[in-house]
C-alpha cells in the first residue's frame, strides 16, 4: 500500500534528508588514497550521531540477507554496484566509489547515494558517473503529478541505454517514509504511461544504477550483500529521496 504524505510530513522528511546529505558529504570528503572504507563509515556515523539521527541501514536484515548489515553506509567500489560493506579495504588511486546512506529523524527516513572517484579519475569513470547523475535528473524531472511510475522508469532507462550502459535487472528505487523501503517500486527501465499514477504526497527514492560495459549481468558476492558486475566492469549509482508535489518534484536529500 502506498502512503500519501501530508505537507507537514514532507517537511519532516526534509530534516532526515538534510542529515543524509551531510553524511554523504562527510564520507566523500574523508575519501582519499589510503583511507579505509570503515573510516568513511565512521565519518558518516559521526554526522548521524551529532544530529541525534538513527540509521535504517545499521542492523537491517531483509529475508534474503545472511547477516544484519553492519554499517550506516554502503560503500561499493569499482565493480561493486550496490550494498558493499565498509571494511578495511584501503582506497587506491583511481577507485570509483559509490556511497549509499540513510537517516532516521523524527520517525521519518531519508535515503540517497552518490558516486565519485578517488585520486586521478579515469575519463571513462567520469562519464559513467555523469550518466548516472543525468539519469537521476531525468527520473526526477518525470516525477510529476499526472505521470506514472513507468514515466520515471522510461526516463532513467533511456539515458542509460543511449549512453550504451547496462542496467542491473531487479534493482531500482522505492517508496520511502516511515520505513526505508515502501511501495511502490520504481524500476530503472520501463514503458512510459504504465504503472501507478503519481500523486501529490508520494515520496520516492529514485536511484539509477549503471554498468559501464553495457551488460546487465551481475552476481551476489560471498558476503551475501555486495552486488557486483558479472564481467568485472565498473558501475555507478546515484540516488535522491524525492517528494511529488503539485508544484513539481522536491528533492529532500539535497544539501
Amino acid at each position: 500500500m502506498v502512503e500519501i504524505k501530508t505537507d507537514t510530513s514532507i517537511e519532516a522528511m526534509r530534516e532526515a534528508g538534510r542529515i543524509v546529505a551531510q553524511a554523504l558529504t562527510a564520507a566523500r570528503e574523508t575519501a582519499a588514497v589510503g583511507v579505509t572504507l570503515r573510516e568513511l563509515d565512521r565519518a558518516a556515523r559521526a554526522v548521524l550521531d551529532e544530529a541525534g539521527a538513527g540509521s535504517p541501514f545499521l542492523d537491517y536484515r531483509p529475508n534474503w540477507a545472511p547477516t544484519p548489515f553492519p554499517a550506516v553506509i554502503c560503500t561499493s567500489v569499482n565493480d561493486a554496484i550496490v550494498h558493499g560493506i565498509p571494511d578495511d579495504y584501503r582506497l587506491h588511486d583511481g577507485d570509483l566509489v559509490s556511497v549509499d546512506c540513510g537517516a532516521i529523524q523524527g520517525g521519518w527516513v531519508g535515503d540517497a547515494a552518490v558516486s565519485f572517484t578517488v585520486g586521478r579519475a579515469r575519463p571513462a569513470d567520469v562519464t559513467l558517473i555523469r550518466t548516472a547523475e543525468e539519469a537521476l535528473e531525468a527520473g526526477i524531472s518525470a516525477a510529476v503529478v499526472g505521470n506514472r511510475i513507468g514515466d520515471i522508469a522510461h526516463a532513467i532507462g533511456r539515458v542509460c541505454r543511449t549512453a550504451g550502459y547496462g542496467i542491473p535487472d531487479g534493482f531500482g528505487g522505492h517508496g520511502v517514509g516511515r520505513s526505508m523501503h515502501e511501495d511502490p517500486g520504481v524500476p530503472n527501465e520501463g514503458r512510459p504511461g504504465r504503472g501507478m499514477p503519481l500523486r501529490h504526497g508520494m515520496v520516492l527514492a529514485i536511484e539509477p544504477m549503471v554498468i559501464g560495459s553495457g551488460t546487465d549481468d551481475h552476481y551476489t558476492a560471498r558476503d551475501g550483500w555486495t552486488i557486483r558486475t558479472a564481467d568485472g566492469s565498473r558501475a555507478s549509482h546515484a540516488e535522491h529521496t524525492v517528494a511529488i508535489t503539485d508544484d513539481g518534484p522536491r528533492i529532500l536529500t539535497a544539501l
Side-chain angles (χ1 to χ4, degrees):
M1 183 177 71
V2 175
E3 179 189 2
I4 302 299
K5 279 72 175 179
T6 65
D7 292 347
T8 300
S9 296
I10 290 173
E11 286 297 327
M13 291 189 71
R14 171 61 179 142
E15 293 307 310
R18 185 176 290 110
I19 295 167
V20 170
Q22 292 168 350
L24 286 173
T25 298
R28 183 170 187 167
E29 290 178 347
T30 301
V33 174
V35 172
T36 69
L37 299 180
R38 290 189 199 277
E39 290 176 87
L40 305 192
D41 183 67
R42 285 198 290 269
R45 194 178 300 233
V47 172
L48 268 60
D49 288 347
E50 183 176 354
S55 169
F57 289 19
L58 184 63
D59 295 327
Y60 177 60
R61 189 178 185 181
N63 55 18
W64 47 262
T67 57
F69 195 78
V72 303
I73 59 173
C74 298
T75 51
S76 304
V77 181
N78 296 334
D79 66 320
I81 306 169
V82 286
H83 301 163
I85 297 174
D87 58 16
D88 292 324
Y89 174 83
R90 292 188 180 276
L91 293 169
H92 294 80
D93 187 40
D95 277 347
L96 192 166
V97 185
S98 298
V99 179
D100 194 349
C101 182
I104 305 170
Q105 182 77 322
W108 295 102
V109 175
D111 186 10
V114 64
S115 294
F116 53 88
T117 57
V118 175
R120 292 168 294 183
R122 301 182 183 184
D125 289 346
V126 173
T127 303
L128 186 67
I129 292 168
R130 184 170 62 244
T131 300
E133 293 171 346
E134 290 173 353
L136 175 58
E137 291 170 3
I140 292 171
S141 294
V144 297
V145 173
N147 272 359
R148 293 176 177 267
I149 291 291
D151 294 304
I152 299 175
H154 176 70
I156 292 170
R158 181 173 54 191
V159 171
C160 299
R161 295 300 187 189
T162 298
Y165 295 139
I167 301 171
D169 184 48
F171 293 89
H174 48 87
V176 62
R178 293 287 185 182
S179 299
M180 180 168 57
H181 293 127
E182 297 183 353
D183 292 331
V186 186
N188 285 329
E189 193 168 31
R191 297 179 63 181
R194 300 295 184 92
M196 180 176 293
L198 303 180
R199 296 173 50 191
H200 177 92
M202 292 175 68
V203 180
L204 307 174
I206 300 173
E207 50 177 325
M209 305 162 202
V210 291
I211 298 175
S213 65
T215 178
D216 298 352
D217 297 335
H218 57 276
Y219 70 96
T220 303
R222 293 180 63 182
D223 63 21
W225 278 98
T226 308
I227 307 300
R228 296 188 178 277
T229 62
D231 60 3
S233 60
R234 296 193 172 198
S236 183
H237 179 202
E239 178 183 16
H240 271 308
T241 296
V242 180
I244 296 168
T245 79
D246 291 328
D247 297 323
R250 181 182 178 191
I251 301 173
L252 303 181
T253 44
L255 277 176

